[in-house]
Structure formats: C-alpha cells, structure tokens
Amino acid sequence: MKGYLLKEQKIVIGQETFIESNAAENNFSVMFEDDAETGYFYGAEKAADTAELRILDMLLIYDVESIDKAERPATVSIIWSIDWMRCGLVINNYCHAVFDFANQGGYNRHQFPPPNNIWTLHDRKLTDEMIAEFFS
C-alpha cells in the first residue's frame, strides 16, 4: 500500500453505518454512509474558523438491493495518500471511489451522480491509474 490506512471497519451492507476520516495535514475529510438503502462516499472540507464541515462532493457507491445477500458482510477501508491530498474508499479489497482534493475531483465506478457545479467539473471515471496511486 502506498498510503495511510486510517480506517478499517467491518459492516453489513444495508445496515446503517457512518464512518468518518480526517486528513492529518490539512482540513479535508471524507465520510462513508450506508443509510440502509444506498452507500455514499462524501468529500468535505473543514472551515478553519468554525471547524464546520462543508460537503464538496458525494459519490454513489452502491444500491443495497443490487448487492447479493452473501456479499453484504464487508470490510470498509479508507486510505489516504502520503501527501494527504487523495483518499480512496475500498470495500472488500476493491476500490470503489477516490477523492482528489488537489484537483478537485470525485471519481467512482458508477460515475454517478453527474459532476456538480461546485467542485467536480469534469468526468467522474475512476481509472486504474488513480487506484494504482494507493497500491503497489
């Protein structure tokens, strides 16, 4: 691995879950949420003066109904790059999404939702090159 594994948690897909991870050297943060219907990954920034979180972007990870019941026990890992400017969401050793805070982009397998007009202004396609930045 070429980064910092900051969170690793066993979950059951379809049971409410919230996992937050904060970068150690800047104000960026990510959150993974399963609301029992969908799984989403959020990129956020903490305001320096209030420590309030501002959501920059969100990425669909899964619809619970589309996940086979045998695959619902899962391990969620949140990995930050060495420079603390990229963060990946890995579920059962499979990278589902990456936030690139330096280039203001959120990327996922579904390329959904469409890019927003606040932060991600370009294609959402998660590439093998982006994933390779986290793994040897």
Side-chain angles (χ1 to χ4, degrees):
M1 185 179 331
K2 296 181 197 174
Y4 303 110
L5 174 63
L6 283 199
K7 294 281 182 163
E8 188 166 75
Q9 182 173 324
K10 295 201 180 295
I11 69 164
V12 176
I13 293 172
Q15 292 183 0
E16 291 186 2
T17 303
F18 186 83
I19 303 168
E20 183 176 0
S21 180
N22 302 308
E25 295 186 8
N26 56 47
N27 291 332
F28 296 118
S29 182
V30 295
M31 287 96 26
F32 169 75
E33 178 181 33
D34 184 324
D35 66 4
E37 293 180 17
T38 57
Y40 269 89
F41 193 43
Y42 301 90
E45 182 175 29
K46 288 186 180 183
D49 53 344
T50 65
E52 192 172 298
L53 279 178
R54 178 179 77 129
I55 301 296
L56 301 169
D57 202 357
M58 64 183 200
L59 302 168
L60 175 70
I61 304 305
Y62 54 75
D63 286 309
V64 172
E65 289 181 4
S66 68
I67 308 294
D68 185 275
K69 289 188 180 194
E71 297 177 12
R72 291 189 183 178
T75 301
V76 173
S77 304
I78 296 178
I79 302 169
W80 284 89
S81 62
I82 292 171
D83 66 359
W84 298 99
M85 295 303 291
R86 290 176 314 285
C87 187
L89 176 72
V90 176
I91 301 175
N92 290 339
N93 297 316
Y94 183 80
C95 186
H96 286 265
V98 169
F99 279 114
D100 181 341
F101 292 98
N103 294 306
Q104 297 185 333
Y107 309 92
N108 64 350
R109 300 287 181 178
H110 299 287
Q111 298 182 55
F112 185 85
N116 65 41
N117 61 1
I118 299 168
W119 200 63
T120 299
L121 301 174
H122 43 76
D123 182 28
R124 288 198 178 279
K125 184 177 182 180
L126 181 62
T127 66
D128 290 340
E129 292 79 23
M130 290 176 199
I131 295 168
E133 292 181 14
F134 292 98
F135 303 98
S136 299

